[in-house]
Amino acid sequence: MQRNDLKPATIAAHAAGAVDLASGGVVPPIQPSTTFVRDRDYQLVNEDNVYLRSHNDAVRLGEEILSRLEGAEDTQLFPSGMAAIAAVFRTVPNGGAVIVQSGIYWGTTKWIRDFCSRRDITLHEVDASDTGALQALCAGLKAQLVFVETPSNPWLKTVDIIAAKACAESCGAFLVVDSTAATPLLTQPLALGADLVMHSATKVINGHSDVLGGVLSTRVRTPVWEAICMDRNEAGAVMGPFEAWLLVRSMRTLPLRVEKMCANAMAVAEFLAAHPEVEEVLYPGLPSHEGHDLAGRQMQGGYGFLMSFLVKGGRAAALAVAGRLNLFHRATSLGGVESLVEHRHTIEPHTGIPENLLRISIGIEDIDDLIADLSQALQGG
């Protein structure tokens, strides 16, 4: 039995103390069975397991690790980040109201807009990084939930979680924070007052670009949380045992990966900020970033691995830079051990994203190699 005061790096490295008791192996086992046997008296051989949809040992272990990293009372794993978001919004009744941060991950915004339209839910979108704007909106509304993302993707805006919680309470709502770009190691939204914290586990929690997953963690058990748990089980929005086992395996190196990625990202941001071909760098670690001071209070151990920058010369120049990069894979997603670059306007041209914006996710490569690659790409090869 592990102590409760262990640091995150120890909790992660030891997979919250899990071993294979049957074999004595130091690696937690994987059990792929979809159903579990009863004895001749029709009693369960293992009373914790009846059917895989509800009873998945690898999933339960992943949830235990994440609960301890988040300081959560309970955690639920989902087959994708969007499945986790959907589970939250399905708790809002028909005819209800929600407040959602504008300028967040486009997949989230699109799904929420469509869902609210189908369910006759009033959707209010606001730049939640502007605390005054969020306060003004919440003051005159009655809503079921407030959903924010910090740092946001791809604008890297920082939301004051403590202030957002006060705003949510003023309109009778609970606060959900998408903390994917911060990870459980850099920010703990639940300790700052959030009711739920969400992650796309596909990103840095897994970190190897080979598992799709989502996470919800709760500060305390509430009727809303119980509804989410029931819905996940009955709707079958569960992660499979192999994916969960891979996720647990990846989380054992999460602190090391995040430390290296943050250090690399800070060096890259400083390089880009000083480069004559770069118009602006969006990264909360830079003192020039409007959310820098707030991020410094909410993020411990680094400012994350994600950033965007504007290339001088417009769309053509940005695409040319992306095309000349050799180490940065031109691919969607973020948070892997390999660095990625994406021209966001190509993906979401209708959202007002600048045509010269490149979003980059910084991996664990040698920092000199990353900067050399960016340098040659910005200079024209």
Side-chain angles (χ1 to χ4, degrees), residues 74-85:
D74 195 24
T75 293
Q76 295 272 283
L77 278 171
F78 291 80
S80 70
M82 288 309 306
I85 290 171

Side-chain angles (χ1 to χ4, degrees), residues 76-129:
Q76 295 272 283
L77 278 171
F78 291 80
S80 70
M82 288 309 306
I85 290 171
V88 171
F89 277 81
R90 281 201 294 269
T91 66
V92 180
N94 291 355
V98 297
I99 297 166
V100 175
Q101 181 179 345
S102 60
I104 58 175
Y105 168 55
W106 170 242
T108 299
T109 299
K110 182 181 184 303
W111 184 87
I112 290 173
R113 287 176 180 175
D114 292 344
F115 177 78
C116 289
S117 177
R118 292 194 306 271
R119 292 278 298 272
D120 191 30
I121 294 171
T122 301
L123 169 61
H124 302 274
E125 296 185 47
V126 62
D127 179 1
S129 68

Side-chain angles (χ1 to χ4, degrees), residues 307-377:
M307 74 183 73
S308 297
F309 66 99
L310 306 179
V311 180
K312 289 182 180 177
R315 175 189 179 90
L319 285 169
V321 169
R324 288 191 292 263
L325 287 167
N326 297 315
L327 291 180
F328 287 76
H329 292 299
R330 289 167 289 280
T332 294
S333 201
L334 48 98
V337 293
E338 65 288 313
S339 294
L340 304 177
V341 60
E342 185 167 62
H343 182 248
R344 285 306 299 173
H345 190 271
T346 297
I347 307 301
E348 47 177 278
H350 47 286
T351 64
I353 204 79
E355 294 190 48
N356 63 332
L357 183 144
L358 294 179
R359 188 193 71 187
I360 54 176
S361 173
I362 305 299
I364 64 170
E365 302 94 337
D366 184 274
I367 186 56
D368 291 336
D369 290 337
L370 292 179
I371 288 178
D373 193 32
L374 286 163
S375 180
Q376 65 82 24

